[in-house]
Amino acid sequence: MTDLFAGTAPYYAKYRPDHGDQAIEHLARTFGPDGTVLDLGCGPGTVAIPLAPAVREVLAVDPDEEMLETGRGLAAEVRNIRWLRGDSTRLRELPAFGHIVMGRSFHWMDRRAVLADLDELLPPGGAVALLGPGREPQEEPWEPTMRRVREEFDANTFTATGSFQVSGEHPHDVLVTTPFSDLESAMYEHRLTYDVDAVIGLQLSYSYSSPARLGDRLEPFKEAARKALHDLDPSGTWEHTEVTEVLIARRPTG
């Protein structure tokens, strides 16, 4: 799956919503200033960059070199991030780390296999932190319209063995069956405004409607999306409340 997000990096960096200051502050409290944190599936640094000032070091790991290069550019002045190419099947090849955070990457992985590896690699007290939308995510106001456009262009989802797409299991349900069954959850909200370009850019940040997948259909896709969004709301502006769950999983003590 190393090319799953081919061509998406600039759109991901510009148009994917961040997790909000409160979520990052929660991670900072969890890891502490001496923490060395693996950000697995880091993308262009959505978590790694804002987290770095609060910890000792971030190992920002992603299989897509374009994502890493985009992150390096965005974090040119940040000295405590190491950008490394790798994926969830090669954790033992990475430098040692004390904690791990995964954002929108965890749902693509063979999650139980990853957690079994982490049980061997994380030191006592090491935390597994997941960032995501929670059990009942609120659909964006444009999503039904964009779903129809994606279907028109046969932009379907990929699946990974053991992933959320295959199993339908929420991360909570996976974690409680693993060594990291001591769970702590908190929800944070922040409201964002999107225009037409932002909504289209968001589509191009997804694996299933990436520029690489669309190929020579990219411009027709953008035109169709722009027309559909105008038909949906000629004002071309939407507000959406992003909800981020910070899920911290540890090994039970005592």
Side-chain angles (χ1 to χ4, degrees), residues 67-156:
M67 288 286 192
L68 296 172
E69 193 59 35
T70 300
R72 291 187 190 103
L74 293 172
E77 304 302 318
V78 183
R79 302 303 181 192
N80 65 331
I81 301 178
R82 276 194 275 176
W83 300 92
L84 304 170
R85 191 165 188 178
D87 61 44
S88 61
T89 67
R90 297 157 55 193
L91 295 178
R92 288 175 174 77
E93 300 174 17
L94 299 175
F97 51 92
H99 308 281
I100 183 171
V101 61
M102 291 169 278
R104 300 178 180 97
S105 59
F106 187 58
H107 65 278
W108 289 108
M109 302 175 189
D110 185 342
R111 296 174 295 173
R112 284 188 172 81
V114 170
L115 292 164
D117 287 344
L118 289 173
D119 188 35
E120 297 181 21
L121 296 172
L122 279 177
V128 176
L130 303 179
L131 298 180
R135 278 191 182 272
E136 298 180 0
Q138 180 183 352
E139 189 171 71
E140 299 97 335
W142 57 80
E143 175 56 18
T145 297
M146 287 297 91
R147 189 182 302 121
R148 289 193 293 273
V149 174
R150 294 196 304 266
E151 289 171 353
E152 178 185 343
F153 283 80
D154 194 28
N156 300 314

Side-chain angles (χ1 to χ4, degrees), residues 147-169:
R147 189 182 302 121
R148 289 193 293 273
V149 174
R150 294 196 304 266
E151 289 171 353
E152 178 185 343
F153 283 80
D154 194 28
N156 300 314
T157 60
F158 287 98
T159 57
T161 301
S163 70
F164 175 79
Q165 289 88 345
V166 171
S167 70
E169 286 183 292

Side-chain angles (χ1 to χ4, degrees), residues 1-211:
M1 295 196 304
T2 57
D3 61 349
L4 193 61
F5 287 86
T8 66
Y11 300 99
Y12 204 115
K14 185 172 182 178
Y15 296 112
R16 281 288 183 108
D18 61 30
H19 297 289
D21 293 342
Q22 290 179 299
I24 298 300
E25 289 165 5
H26 190 136
L27 294 179
R29 292 192 301 270
T30 298
F31 301 142
D34 291 328
T36 296
V37 183
L38 169 61
D39 180 3
L40 182 60
C42 65
T46 309
V47 174
I49 294 172
L51 179 63
V55 298
R56 180 184 298 276
E57 184 179 35
V58 178
L59 307 177
V61 173
D62 201 274
D64 189 315
E65 184 58 43
E66 186 182 21
M67 288 286 192
L68 296 172
E69 193 59 35
T70 300
R72 291 187 190 103
L74 293 172
E77 304 302 318
V78 183
R79 302 303 181 192
N80 65 331
I81 301 178
R82 276 194 275 176
W83 300 92
L84 304 170
R85 191 165 188 178
D87 61 44
S88 61
T89 67
R90 297 157 55 193
L91 295 178
R92 288 175 174 77
E93 300 174 17
L94 299 175
F97 51 92
H99 308 281
I100 183 171
V101 61
M102 291 169 278
R104 300 178 180 97
S105 59
F106 187 58
H107 65 278
W108 289 108
M109 302 175 189
D110 185 342
R111 296 174 295 173
R112 284 188 172 81
V114 170
L115 292 164
D117 287 344
L118 289 173
D119 188 35
E120 297 181 21
L121 296 172
L122 279 177
V128 176
L130 303 179
L131 298 180
R135 278 191 182 272
E136 298 180 0
Q138 180 183 352
E139 189 171 71
E140 299 97 335
W142 57 80
E143 175 56 18
T145 297
M146 287 297 91
R147 189 182 302 121
R148 289 193 293 273
V149 174
R150 294 196 304 266
E151 289 171 353
E152 178 185 343
F153 283 80
D154 194 28
N156 300 314
T157 60
F158 287 98
T159 57
T161 301
S163 70
F164 175 79
Q165 289 88 345
V166 171
S167 70
E169 286 183 292
H170 188 273
H172 287 243
D173 304 322
V174 173
L175 285 162
V176 295
T177 67
T178 75
F180 300 95
S181 60
D182 183 3
L183 306 184
E184 164 201 324
S185 173
M187 307 293 289
Y188 300 104
E189 296 183 358
H190 61 298
R191 195 157 184 82
L192 300 174
T193 300
Y194 292 78
D195 61 15
V196 170
D197 288 338
V199 174
I200 295 174
L202 191 61
Q203 309 310 303
L204 300 179
S205 78
Y206 297 145
S207 59
Y208 42 81
S209 49
S210 68

Side-chain angles (χ1 to χ4, degrees), residues 214-232:
L214 289 166
D216 58 10
R217 299 173 296 155
L218 175 58
E219 290 305 318
F221 176 85
K222 290 162 66 175
E223 291 173 10
R226 192 171 297 275
K227 180 181 184 303
L229 290 169
H230 180 270
D231 292 343
L232 175 65

